[in-house]
PDB file of all heavy atoms in Angstrom:
ATOM      1  N   GLN A 105      89.845 -40.075  55.508  1.00  0.00           N
ATOM      2  CA  GLN A 105      91.042 -39.883  56.322  1.00  0.00           C
ATOM      3  C   GLN A 105      90.890 -40.638  57.652  1.00  0.00           C
ATOM      4  O   GLN A 105      89.918 -40.386  58.371  1.00  0.00           O
ATOM      5  CB  GLN A 105      91.294 -38.392  56.573  1.00  0.00           C
ATOM      6  CG  GLN A 105      92.582 -38.126  57.347  1.00  0.00           C
ATOM      7  CD  GLN A 105      92.812 -36.645  57.571  1.00  0.00           C
ATOM      8  OE1 GLN A 105      92.043 -35.789  57.095  1.00  0.00           O
ATOM      9  NE2 GLN A 105      93.915 -36.326  58.258  1.00  0.00           N
ATOM     10  N   VAL A 106      91.820 -41.514  57.958  1.00  0.00           N
ATOM     11  CA  VAL A 106      91.808 -42.254  59.225  1.00  0.00           C
ATOM     12  C   VAL A 106      92.613 -41.432  60.228  1.00  0.00           C
ATOM     13  O   VAL A 106      93.801 -41.179  60.034  1.00  0.00           O
ATOM     14  CB  VAL A 106      92.407 -43.664  59.055  1.00  0.00           C
ATOM     15  CG1 VAL A 106      92.369 -44.417  60.374  1.00  0.00           C
ATOM     16  CG2 VAL A 106      91.643 -44.443  57.975  1.00  0.00           C
ATOM     17  N   VAL A 107      91.950 -41.027  61.306  1.00  0.00           N
ATOM     18  CA  VAL A 107      92.598 -40.154  62.315  1.00  0.00           C
ATOM     19  C   VAL A 107      92.720 -40.912  63.637  1.00  0.00           C
ATOM     20  O   VAL A 107      92.078 -41.937  63.852  1.00  0.00           O
ATOM     21  CB  VAL A 107      91.813 -38.848  62.509  1.00  0.00           C
ATOM     22  CG1 VAL A 107      91.781 -38.031  61.222  1.00  0.00           C
ATOM     23  CG2 VAL A 107      90.390 -39.140  62.960  1.00  0.00           C
ATOM     24  N   ASP A 108      93.578 -40.386  64.509  1.00  0.00           N
ATOM     25  CA  ASP A 108      93.833 -41.049  65.770  1.00  0.00           C
ATOM     26  C   ASP A 108      92.831 -40.659  66.877  1.00  0.00           C
ATOM     27  O   ASP A 108      92.718 -41.372  67.886  1.00  0.00           O
ATOM     28  CB  ASP A 108      95.259 -40.740  66.264  1.00  0.00           C
ATOM     29  CG  ASP A 108      96.317 -41.339  65.358  1.00  0.00           C
ATOM     30  OD1 ASP A 108      96.038 -42.414  64.767  1.00  0.00           O
ATOM     31  OD2 ASP A 108      97.376 -40.721  65.218  1.00  0.00           O
ATOM     32  N   SER A 109      92.131 -39.559  66.677  1.00  0.00           N
ATOM     33  CA  SER A 109      91.223 -39.088  67.727  1.00  0.00           C
ATOM     34  C   SER A 109      90.173 -38.146  67.142  1.00  0.00           C
ATOM     35  O   SER A 109      90.332 -37.660  65.997  1.00  0.00           O
ATOM     36  CB  SER A 109      92.008 -38.365  68.843  1.00  0.00           C
ATOM     37  OG  SER A 109      92.592 -37.180  68.341  1.00  0.00           O
ATOM     38  N   THR A 110      89.153 -37.904  67.932  1.00  0.00           N
ATOM     39  CA  THR A 110      88.114 -36.931  67.510  1.00  0.00           C
ATOM     40  C   THR A 110      88.686 -35.539  67.415  1.00  0.00           C
ATOM     41  O   THR A 110      88.308 -34.743  66.552  1.00  0.00           O
ATOM     42  CB  THR A 110      86.956 -36.972  68.528  1.00  0.00           C
ATOM     43  OG1 THR A 110      86.391 -38.308  68.538  1.00  0.00           O
ATOM     44  CG2 THR A 110      85.852 -36.010  68.086  1.00  0.00           C
ATOM     45  N   LEU A 111      89.669 -35.239  68.302  1.00  0.00           N
ATOM     46  CA  LEU A 111      90.311 -33.927  68.255  1.00  0.00           C
ATOM     47  C   LEU A 111      91.034 -33.741  66.912  1.00  0.00           C
ATOM     48  O   LEU A 111      90.985 -32.661  66.322  1.00  0.00           O
ATOM     49  CB  LEU A 111      91.304 -33.800  69.413  1.00  0.00           C
ATOM     50  CG  LEU A 111      92.141 -32.523  69.460  1.00  0.00           C
ATOM     51  CD1 LEU A 111      91.254 -31.293  69.567  1.00  0.00           C
ATOM     52  CD2 LEU A 111      93.118 -32.563  70.615  1.00  0.00           C
ATOM     53  N   ALA A 112      91.701 -34.790  66.448  1.00  0.00           N
ATOM     54  CA  ALA A 112      92.381 -34.699  65.172  1.00  0.00           C
ATOM     55  C   ALA A 112      91.412 -34.480  64.032  1.00  0.00           C
ATOM     56  O   ALA A 112      91.704 -33.739  63.085  1.00  0.00           O
ATOM     57  CB  ALA A 112      93.182 -35.983  64.915  1.00  0.00           C
ATOM     58  N   ALA A 113      90.211 -35.089  64.122  1.00  0.00           N
ATOM     59  CA  ALA A 113      89.204 -34.852  63.100  1.00  0.00           C
ATOM     60  C   ALA A 113      88.727 -33.404  63.117  1.00  0.00           C
ATOM     61  O   ALA A 113      88.466 -32.795  62.093  1.00  0.00           O
ATOM     62  CB  ALA A 113      88.020 -35.813  63.317  1.00  0.00           C
ATOM     63  N   THR A 114      88.566 -32.858  64.322  1.00  0.00           N
ATOM     64  CA  THR A 114      88.131 -31.470  64.463  1.00  0.00           C
ATOM     65  C   THR A 114      89.171 -30.523  63.875  1.00  0.00           C
ATOM     66  O   THR A 114      88.836 -29.566  63.175  1.00  0.00           O
ATOM     67  CB  THR A 114      87.897 -31.125  65.936  1.00  0.00           C
ATOM     68  OG1 THR A 114      86.943 -32.067  66.486  1.00  0.00           O
ATOM     69  CG2 THR A 114      87.356 -29.710  66.101  1.00  0.00           C
ATOM     70  N   GLN A 115      90.445 -30.810  64.141  1.00  0.00           N
ATOM     71  CA  GLN A 115      91.516 -29.960  63.628  1.00  0.00           C
ATOM     72  C   GLN A 115      91.612 -30.098  62.099  1.00  0.00           C
ATOM     73  O   GLN A 115      91.854 -29.119  61.404  1.00  0.00           O
ATOM     74  CB  GLN A 115      92.825 -30.341  64.284  1.00  0.00           C
ATOM     75  CG  GLN A 115      92.868 -30.024  65.778  1.00  0.00           C
ATOM     76  CD  GLN A 115      94.096 -30.565  66.466  1.00  0.00           C
ATOM     77  OE1 GLN A 115      94.798 -31.436  65.915  1.00  0.00           O
ATOM     78  NE2 GLN A 115      94.401 -30.054  67.657  1.00  0.00           N
ATOM     79  N   ALA A 116      91.407 -31.298  61.597  1.00  0.00           N
ATOM     80  CA  ALA A 116      91.477 -31.512  60.142  1.00  0.00           C
ATOM     81  C   ALA A 116      90.370 -30.763  59.404  1.00  0.00           C
ATOM     82  O   ALA A 116      90.561 -30.320  58.283  1.00  0.00           O
ATOM     83  CB  ALA A 116      91.397 -32.997  59.824  1.00  0.00           C
ATOM     84  N   ALA A 117      89.228 -30.592  60.067  1.00  0.00           N
ATOM     85  CA  ALA A 117      88.107 -29.864  59.472  1.00  0.00           C
ATOM     86  C   ALA A 117      88.160 -28.375  59.766  1.00  0.00           C
ATOM     87  O   ALA A 117      87.297 -27.624  59.313  1.00  0.00           O
ATOM     88  CB  ALA A 117      86.784 -30.434  59.972  1.00  0.00           C
ATOM     89  N   SER A 118      89.214 -27.926  60.497  1.00  0.00           N
ATOM     90  CA  SER A 118      89.347 -26.523  60.875  1.00  0.00           C
ATOM     91  C   SER A 118      88.040 -26.002  61.525  1.00  0.00           C
ATOM     92  O   SER A 118      87.536 -24.923  61.144  1.00  0.00           O
ATOM     93  CB  SER A 118      89.715 -25.666  59.662  1.00  0.00           C
ATOM     94  OG  SER A 118      90.937 -26.131  59.109  1.00  0.00           O
ATOM     95  N   SER A 119      87.543 -26.782  62.421  1.00  0.00           N
ATOM     96  CA  SER A 119      86.265 -26.472  63.060  1.00  0.00           C
ATOM     97  C   SER A 119      86.458 -26.362  64.568  1.00  0.00           C
ATOM     98  O   SER A 119      87.387 -26.911  65.159  1.00  0.00           O
ATOM     99  CB  SER A 119      85.225 -27.585  62.773  1.00  0.00           C
ATOM    100  OG  SER A 119      84.041 -27.363  63.478  1.00  0.00           O
ATOM    101  N   ALA A 120      85.545 -25.557  65.182  1.00  0.00           N
ATOM    102  CA  ALA A 120      85.603 -25.407  66.626  1.00  0.00           C
ATOM    103  C   ALA A 120      84.873 -26.563  67.334  1.00  0.00           C
ATOM    104  O   ALA A 120      85.065 -26.777  68.536  1.00  0.00           O
ATOM    105  CB  ALA A 120      85.000 -24.065  67.029  1.00  0.00           C
ATOM    106  N   THR A 121      84.035 -27.268  66.615  1.00  0.00           N
ATOM    107  CA  THR A 121      83.303 -28.385  67.178  1.00  0.00           C
ATOM    108  C   THR A 121      83.540 -29.625  66.288  1.00  0.00           C
ATOM    109  O   THR A 121      84.046 -29.517  65.162  1.00  0.00           O
ATOM    110  CB  THR A 121      81.790 -28.090  67.238  1.00  0.00           C
ATOM    111  OG1 THR A 121      81.323 -27.816  65.910  1.00  0.00           O
ATOM    112  CG2 THR A 121      81.504 -26.915  68.128  1.00  0.00           C
ATOM    113  N   VAL A 122      83.160 -30.765  66.823  1.00  0.00           N
ATOM    114  CA  VAL A 122      83.347 -32.004  66.084  1.00  0.00           C
ATOM    115  C   VAL A 122      82.475 -31.963  64.824  1.00  0.00           C
ATOM    116  O   VAL A 122      81.258 -31.792  64.926  1.00  0.00           O
ATOM    117  CB  VAL A 122      82.983 -33.244  66.942  1.00  0.00           C
ATOM    118  CG1 VAL A 122      83.178 -34.532  66.131  1.00  0.00           C
ATOM    119  CG2 VAL A 122      83.824 -33.277  68.202  1.00  0.00           C
ATOM    120  N   PRO A 123      83.037 -32.127  63.633  1.00  0.00           N
ATOM    121  CA  PRO A 123      82.214 -32.055  62.399  1.00  0.00           C
ATOM    122  C   PRO A 123      81.300 -33.270  62.293  1.00  0.00           C
ATOM    123  O   PRO A 123      81.630 -34.358  62.759  1.00  0.00           O
ATOM    124  CB  PRO A 123      83.276 -32.027  61.297  1.00  0.00           C
ATOM    125  CG  PRO A 123      84.452 -32.733  61.888  1.00  0.00           C
ATOM    126  CD  PRO A 123      84.462 -32.379  63.348  1.00  0.00           C
ATOM    127  N   SER A 124      80.169 -33.050  61.663  1.00  0.00           N
ATOM    128  CA  SER A 124      79.228 -34.149  61.460  1.00  0.00           C
ATOM    129  C   SER A 124      79.739 -35.176  60.490  1.00  0.00           C
ATOM    130  O   SER A 124      79.222 -36.292  60.408  1.00  0.00           O
ATOM    131  CB  SER A 124      77.871 -33.616  60.981  1.00  0.00           C
ATOM    132  OG  SER A 124      78.027 -32.952  59.734  1.00  0.00           O
ATOM    133  N   SER A 125      80.770 -34.823  59.727  1.00  0.00           N
ATOM    134  CA  SER A 125      81.348 -35.741  58.723  1.00  0.00           C
ATOM    135  C   SER A 125      82.368 -36.706  59.372  1.00  0.00           C
ATOM    136  O   SER A 125      83.082 -37.426  58.651  1.00  0.00           O
ATOM    137  CB  SER A 125      82.006 -34.965  57.613  1.00  0.00           C
ATOM    138  OG  SER A 125      83.028 -34.108  58.131  1.00  0.00           O
ATOM    139  N   HIS A 126      82.436 -36.729  60.699  1.00  0.00           N
ATOM    140  CA  HIS A 126      83.377 -37.617  61.391  1.00  0.00           C
ATOM    141  C   HIS A 126      82.594 -38.705  62.120  1.00  0.00           C
ATOM    142  O   HIS A 126      81.559 -38.444  62.752  1.00  0.00           O
ATOM    143  CB  HIS A 126      84.190 -36.803  62.425  1.00  0.00           C
ATOM    144  CG  HIS A 126      85.063 -37.677  63.295  1.00  0.00           C
ATOM    145  ND1 HIS A 126      86.134 -38.356  62.825  1.00  0.00           N
ATOM    146  CD2 HIS A 126      84.969 -37.949  64.615  1.00  0.00           C
ATOM    147  CE1 HIS A 126      86.704 -39.044  63.829  1.00  0.00           C
ATOM    148  NE2 HIS A 126      86.022 -38.817  64.915  1.00  0.00           N
ATOM    149  N   ILE A 127      83.097 -39.947  62.036  1.00  0.00           N
ATOM    150  CA  ILE A 127      82.519 -41.059  62.750  1.00  0.00           C
ATOM    151  C   ILE A 127      83.596 -41.870  63.478  1.00  0.00           C
ATOM    152  O   ILE A 127      84.792 -41.700  63.175  1.00  0.00           O
ATOM    153  CB  ILE A 127      81.714 -42.013  61.826  1.00  0.00           C
ATOM    154  CG1 ILE A 127      82.646 -42.687  60.818  1.00  0.00           C
ATOM    155  CG2 ILE A 127      80.589 -41.272  61.106  1.00  0.00           C
ATOM    156  CD1 ILE A 127      81.961 -43.758  59.972  1.00  0.00           C
TER     157      ILE A 127
END
Side-chain angles (χ1 to χ4, degrees):
Q105 183 179 359
V106 181
V107 297
D108 294 328
S109 65
T110 300
L111 176 60
T114 304
Q115 294 172 344
S118 301
S119 174
T121 59
V122 180
S124 60
S125 59
H126 173 68
I127 65 173

